[in-house]
Amino acid sequence: MDLDFSNLGTPETIIMAAVGLALMFFGYRIKKIAFFLIWFILGYNLVGLLMPTINQIAPEAVKTELYQILLPIAGGLLLALLGFSIEKLCVGGICFALVMVITVRYFGAEMQTLAIGGIIGIVAAGAAVMMMKPATIIATAVAGAYALTLAILVLFPDINKEIYYFPILGGLALIGSVFQFLTTKRVS
């Protein structure tokens, strides 16, 4: 399990924690902003995962620290602008992308693992589109919990990541989902 978060600095971690809290507790109420933030986090993380490959392909183009910082931000902004525009595609895409990010980051990028993650992601995306409000609540709570879990593990490096990652993620996602379901009963 690859749980290396050393590329996150303290300011990024604090911002990620704040965004995570907002998504976790108010994701459905701030749907459009939440979609933008979720897609930004996904794009940032995906480009971060691709940085070693980008460094191998074009080492001269990305050799400065500025490019190492700006490329993940640019990837996040590109996906965020896409996700901001189309709600159903956004919810389905969030579910699929969350499944794939978690699959790659924590279970590896072997072909069988990716295929299983892709199938689970497609099922999750299809279910999400059929049930928009619950799916939006759960997707925003999980995305917020993911961002907050990353921040917790970076800010408290003594926590054993291999043991506590999934319990923290699951607990935070459950708390966020329950909070949102209870506070959005009359919101459509």
Side-chain angles (χ1 to χ4, degrees):
M1 186 182 314
D2 176 25
L3 294 173
D4 180 25
F5 305 117
S6 59
N7 61 333
L8 292 177
T10 302
E12 295 167 318
T13 303
I14 291 170
I15 290 169
M16 188 171 281
V19 168
L21 285 169
L23 290 173
M24 203 170 87
F25 290 115
F26 306 107
Y28 188 74
R29 290 187 181 271
I30 57 170
K31 256 191 303 195
K32 291 287 187 183
I33 296 168
F35 291 158
F36 184 86
L37 293 173
I38 290 169
W39 280 104
F40 179 83
I41 290 169
L42 290 171
Y44 184 89
N45 279 290
L46 288 172
V47 173
L49 289 171
L50 293 173
M51 283 307 289
T53 305
I54 294 170
N55 288 337
Q56 287 177 351
I57 293 171
E60 289 300 315
V62 293
K63 69 180 176 183
T64 65
E65 187 176 337
L66 179 64
Y67 285 118
Q68 297 291 322
I69 294 169
L70 289 180
L71 280 176
I73 292 171
L77 286 173
L78 285 173
L79 276 181
L81 292 172
L82 169 74
F84 186 72
S85 59
I86 308 169
E87 190 170 317
K88 285 188 179 187
L89 176 66
C90 189
V91 170
I94 287 169
C95 291
F96 180 80
L98 281 171
V99 168
M100 292 309 292
V101 165
I102 291 171
T103 299
V104 169
R105 189 173 278 266
Y106 303 104
F107 299 108
E110 294 81 29
M111 189 54 73
Q112 285 180 317
T113 306
L114 291 175
I116 292 169
I119 291 169
I120 293 169
I122 289 169
V123 170
V129 171
M130 291 172 30
M131 303 178 292
M132 283 301 286
K133 181 177 180 179
T136 302
I137 288 172
I138 292 169
T140 57
V142 170
Y146 175 77
L148 190 55
T149 300
L150 288 180
I152 288 168
L153 294 175
V154 169
L155 293 173
F156 302 100
D158 293 337
I159 295 175
N160 187 327
K161 296 166 182 66
E162 285 77 22
I163 294 173
Y164 293 109
Y165 172 77
F166 285 110
I168 293 171
L169 177 66
L172 290 174
L174 181 64
I175 290 167
S177 295
V178 169
F179 181 85
Q180 285 192 63
F181 276 116
L182 291 175
T183 60
T184 61
K185 284 182 181 177
R186 291 176 176 69
V187 177
S188 57

